[in-house]
Amino acid sequence: MAKREIPEVNAGSMADIAFLLLIFFLVTTTMDSDTGLARLLPPIQDAPVDDKTPPIKERNVFTVLVNSNDQLLVEGKPMRMERLTEATKEFIENPRNAENLPEKKATDVQFFGTVEVGKGVISLQNDRGTTYQTYLMVQNELQRAYTELRQDLAKKRFKKDYLDLDKDEQSAIREVYPQRISEAEPKNIGK
Amino acid sequence: MAKFRKKKSGGQQAINTASLPDIVFMLLFFFMVSTTMKETDLKVTVRPAQATEIEKLERKELATFIYVGVPAKSFQSLYGSEPRIQLNDQFATVDDIQSYIAQARDAMKESDQPKMITSIKADKECSMGIITDIKQALRKAAALKIIYSANEMAK
């Protein structure tokens, strides 16, 4: 019996179909990937705070105020945004053990042995009239101070980028430079 | 001796289009993979703020979005030109946030609920007053992980 010939399927319209789909996805696509500054809000406090906890010493607090004209007041002095990162780094690190900068506490940290960890807390307060961009920039500059310090330490200790370290090493570095940014309960300042 | 005959001139040869579907399919797959469907229509204008220390929102299904901005032109007669909050597809007030968060949390898988993250997409010019209110509402709703949406700052 003669082999029956299988007729070839005409694939000429395949391109048309694919084009149709392509155009559909071209139109519906939005390529924005979501990026932003991640933050953790403090849990709400229902009960009034008991006053038995000792207040944080003045030298351990780095106050950053932002008024409704988007001006910064850092530790009682006006400051430009560009200087904020440097000032924050100095506050966190306290390289010369200055009297007015945060105290340190010897702590055992993995990989590092005993290190002096600063007890500094950054307190951020903003007015209701502050623009969002300015507020975000302040957050950004504070974050940058921590990122740069951690990066420097990673380079010095592990000779690698902070982001390339494994989990334990990262958390060890985070212990040396713990991020403590506290945001005050909202109130109106600098009206 | 001229044995060379001139090649038949005229009449362009057809280009082989057999690989055209392959090319188109390649493009198609690229767009299919990179696409994210638009889920909500923005009724407020959000010009994203800028920052340098940004992180990527890794798992979108964990995120709940809150949009803040001035209502779009066509809504201004109804909602005014002060920054407003948009949840899902409609304008809302700060008081609605708690139920919105609770709803979003219920819709999530139970194992994912503690990892829930709230993305605040606010216009860069809007004032912190409304953002502070939102933050207070989120604290009350126990949605403490937030991400301030921002784009990479142009150098």
Side-chain angles (χ1 to χ4, degrees):
Chain A
M1 215 160 118
K3 246 191 189 170
R4 199 188 283 173
E5 232 178 72
I6 305 164
E8 224 176 273
V9 181
N10 184 9
S13 55
M14 177 113 98
D16 300 352
I17 296 165
F19 262 123
L20 197 85
L21 283 169
L22 175 62
I23 288 166
F24 169 71
F25 278 102
L26 261 171
V27 171
T28 54
T29 201
T30 49
M31 287 246 233
D32 60 326
S33 58
D34 269 305
T35 51
L37 280 176
R39 281 282 171 272
L40 205 59
L41 294 174
I44 202 129
Q45 251 149 13
D46 296 323
V49 193
D50 60 356
D51 286 333
K52 279 175 197 144
T53 48
I56 303 175
K57 281 185 197 153
E58 171 57 35
R59 62 181 283 200
N60 289 343
V61 185
F62 187 72
T63 19
V64 181
L65 306 177
V66 194
N67 74 1
S68 52
N69 296 327
D70 297 343
Q71 291 158 324
L72 294 184
L73 194 74
V74 179
E75 292 283 74
K77 287 190 217 80
M79 185 180 280
R80 299 246 305 280
M81 185 74 82
E82 299 86 63
R83 288 260 306 113
L84 184 60
T85 303
E86 278 307 308
T88 313
K89 273 167 88 170
E90 200 183 337
F91 171 82
I92 300 165
E93 210 174 11
N94 191 5
R96 289 182 293 279
N97 290 319
E99 278 293 307
N100 55 347
L101 292 177
E103 303 169 283
K104 291 179 179 172
K105 191 177 164 210
T107 319
D108 280 326
V109 182
Q110 208 188 350
F111 302 114
F112 291 95
T114 308
V115 278
E116 302 267 291
V117 177
K119 282 171 146 184
V121 178
I122 294 170
S123 152
L124 175 58
Q125 262 182 52
N126 63 277
D127 185 74
R128 292 185 67 89
T130 311
T131 52
Y132 181 59
Q133 173 70 59
T134 311
Y135 172 78
L136 213 60
M137 266 330 276
V138 173
Q139 288 269 18
N140 186 57
E141 296 303 297
L142 297 178
Q143 179 68 48
R144 206 173 79 195
Y146 281 106
T147 314
E148 285 178 7
L149 283 175
R150 287 172 181 175
Q151 174 71 7
D152 287 350
L153 189 65
K155 272 262 152 61
K156 210 165 82 185
R157 177 68 177 76
F158 301 108
K159 309 261 186 306
K160 268 199 270 183
D161 272 353
Y162 174 69
L163 291 175
D164 294 337
L165 299 177
D166 66 37
K167 258 201 176 131
D168 289 343
E169 291 165 342
Q170 282 196 2
S171 75
I173 287 183
R174 278 206 301 274
E175 259 181 73
V176 180
Y177 292 123
Q179 185 171 322
R180 296 201 204 92
I181 299 176
S182 111
E183 285 186 65
E185 295 286 325
K187 59 180 153 188
N188 281 327
I189 50 161
K191 268 277 155 177
Chain B
M1 91 171 230
K3 280 263 169 174
F4 299 106
R5 203 183 293 158
K6 223 179 186 182
K7 260 189 191 158
K8 221 167 67 185
S9 61
Q12 278 177 329
Q13 251 161 9
I15 302 167
N16 185 9
T17 56
S19 56
L20 186 65
D22 300 351
I23 297 166
V24 174
F25 265 119
M26 202 177 67
L27 281 171
L28 175 63
F29 285 136
F30 169 71
F31 278 101
M32 273 177 75
V33 169
S34 64
T35 201
T36 49
M37 295 282 174
K38 225 177 200 168
E39 272 151 33
T40 47
D41 278 330
L42 277 187
K43 291 182 177 172
V44 293
T45 44
V46 175
R47 289 161 299 169
Q50 268 145 24
T52 56
E53 305 298 310
I54 49 175
E55 295 165 42
K56 202 155 179 263
L57 186 56
E58 291 295 351
R59 293 176 60 192
K60 251 191 179 165
E61 70 270 22
L62 296 180
T64 316
F65 294 96
I66 296 178
Y67 302 94
V68 187
V70 176
K73 274 266 152 47
S74 49
F75 295 102
Q76 280 190 1
S77 57
L78 216 57
Y79 294 102
S81 55
E82 281 294 295
R84 299 276 309 226
I85 302 168
Q86 183 190 344
L87 305 172
N88 282 334
D89 261 342
Q90 50 202 336
F91 288 101
T93 59
V94 176
D95 303 327
D96 299 330
I97 288 179
Q98 279 193 56
S99 60
Y100 173 70
I101 293 292
Q103 223 172 40
R105 187 178 282 141
D106 277 347
M108 255 181 223
K109 267 191 292 180
E110 206 168 336
S111 59
D112 282 343
Q113 284 177 6
K115 295 180 205 150
M116 177 178 176
I117 187 161
T118 313
S119 172
I120 300 179
K121 285 181 174 253
D123 190 274
K124 61 180 174 186
E125 294 292 320
C126 77
S127 67
M128 277 307 288
I130 191 162
I131 311 265
T132 311
D133 292 342
I134 292 171
K135 271 159 65 184
Q136 286 301 100
L138 286 178
R139 284 176 66 187
K140 275 186 207 137
L144 300 179
K145 266 189 208 159
I146 58 168
I147 185 159
Y148 298 109
S149 179
N151 283 0
E152 175 90 63
M153 182 175 273
K155 285 274 148 65

